[in-house]
Every structure is written in C-alpha cells, then in structure tokens.
Amino acid sequence: MRVLVIEDERGLAEAIAQGLAEEGFVTDASYDGVDGLWRAVHEPHDAIVLDLMLPGLSGYEVLKRLRAARVWAPVLVLTAKDGEYDEADALDLGADDYLSKPFSYVVLVAHLRALLRRGAPARPAVLAAGDLALDPARRRCHRAGREIALTAREFTLLEFLLRHPDEVVSKTDILDHVWEENFDGDTNVVEVYVGYLRRKIDAPFGRRTIETVRGAGYRLHGTGR
C-alpha cells in the first residue's frame, strides 16, 4: 500500500515514512501544502497522512481541494492541534480519521490499516442533489444560486437525507439520527419537519425532492427533481 505523508517537520515526516516502510508500506513524503496537494491529486496513493499546519496551503485547504478534485483516498489528519473544533472541522471537510501529536507509531499504523480496510468510497464535503447543495462545514444551504435559511434541526434532517440519496429511510431511522438519543415524543414530529423542509427547499423552486413513501418513510431523490 502506498501512503503519502504531508508534514512540514522534515524529521517527523521522515520518521513516519521510515516507520511505515518497516510495516510494509511504500511511502512518499511532502513538506508543504502546495506540493502535497499536487502529489495527492496527480500521483496514486492508497492513503494520505496530513498535517493541518502547513506552509503554502493549510491542511484544511489541502483537504478541501482534494475532495473538490474527487480524490477519495482515505485521509488521516495528524496534528498538534487537538481541540474538538479542529477535529470537527477536519472531519467535516472530508477527513476520515484524526490523530493528535504526540502519537504512538503502533496506533498510527493501526489507524491506517483500519482506513485501508474501509476502502475509499466517495465522501464529498458538499452534499448535493441536483441544484440543491448543503455544506455541513459552513452550515450553509443553497438551491439554484439562492441561499436557504434552515434551523439547526432542519439542517440536520436535510443532511441525513442527503447522505442517503434515493434510499427509503423510516421515521425511526430519522429519529435515531436527527433527534436526541432519549427522545420519547410523537413520531409525527418527523412529518412536521419534513413539511418545513419542503416549504423551504422545494415549494419556492417548483421541485419535489423529498418523496413520501407510504407506510415506509421518505426518499430524497439524488437528482433533486
């Protein structure tokens, strides 16, 4: 397996590369965001180890541009920044895992092997269905070039539906993923919020993106019809 290490501390980058080589990985190293992005886009790699604080382009920007270029290789963010918001931002932009410095090489290798076992399915940072777009990292929603204001609950519901395009999801599935763990209210609250969404993302545009599947749940059409 070929791994690209993008890390500006040369000593650390070389140590990671050597440690991975001893575990049977083929490794390449890059020491700034610009070169790292170029190599990640133009050279085949099975996984990428990415620092956040890089010269040229930050790791956040590298990650954003990678996913925009439809490069889906698993990305393990490796950084001295260990705040929960830093982790959340990286994951929202398309990272697959997060490891803080200082780290154990045993744990690093275990994380990489886990990522490689999962493969590299498409994980766009911006979710879309036709001309409807939702950006979880920036908490923004657009359709046909117009911004749509959503409440926090509406946003989370739409994100869940967009992550399961063309699938029928039940009210129970939605409650489990969108409402609080111990929610014990009326399941009709799902219908209410689906109605709110339709009035914002469909009705003003003459669309029918969210379909009610009688007796089963709801389906969001991936084409955004």
Side-chain angles (χ1 to χ4, degrees), residues 45-171:
H45 292 92
D46 298 292
I48 298 168
V49 176
L50 176 67
D51 185 29
L52 289 183
M53 304 303 289
L54 294 168
L57 289 174
S58 72
Y60 294 114
E61 189 65 25
V62 170
L63 191 51
K64 177 182 174 182
R65 296 191 190 188
L66 270 182
R67 297 319 190 204
R70 306 183 70 79
V71 175
W72 307 121
V75 174
L76 171 63
V77 167
L78 184 67
T79 178
K81 300 183 70 175
D82 60 358
E84 60 182 16
Y85 290 106
D86 299 317
E87 178 178 356
D89 287 344
L91 294 173
D92 275 339
L93 286 171
D96 299 271
D97 202 353
Y98 192 97
L99 197 59
S100 298
K101 303 174 185 175
F103 59 89
S104 158
Y105 282 99
V106 173
V107 173
L108 172 64
V109 170
H111 278 247
L112 278 176
R113 292 200 187 282
L115 290 179
L116 291 167
R117 284 195 298 271
R118 295 178 206 163
R123 294 176 297 275
V126 176
L127 306 171
D131 60 355
L132 173 67
L134 191 80
D135 187 337
R138 291 170 176 76
R139 307 298 292 178
R140 299 182 71 180
C141 178
H142 291 83
R143 175 154 235 170
R146 289 168 52 185
E147 186 158 4
I148 301 171
L150 300 176
T151 66
R153 186 80 69 190
E154 291 165 353
F155 195 98
T156 305
L157 173 57
L158 182 56
E159 180 178 357
F160 178 70
L161 293 173
L162 282 167
R163 291 190 185 280
H164 298 83
D166 301 314
E167 298 178 20
V168 177
V169 292
S170 69
K171 288 183 181 179

Side-chain angles (χ1 to χ4, degrees), residues 8-30:
D8 64 320
E9 296 181 41
R10 287 179 177 260
L12 178 58
E14 291 167 2
I16 293 172
Q18 181 178 346
L20 292 178
E22 291 173 357
E23 293 293 331
F25 292 92
V26 176
T27 59
D28 298 310
S30 184

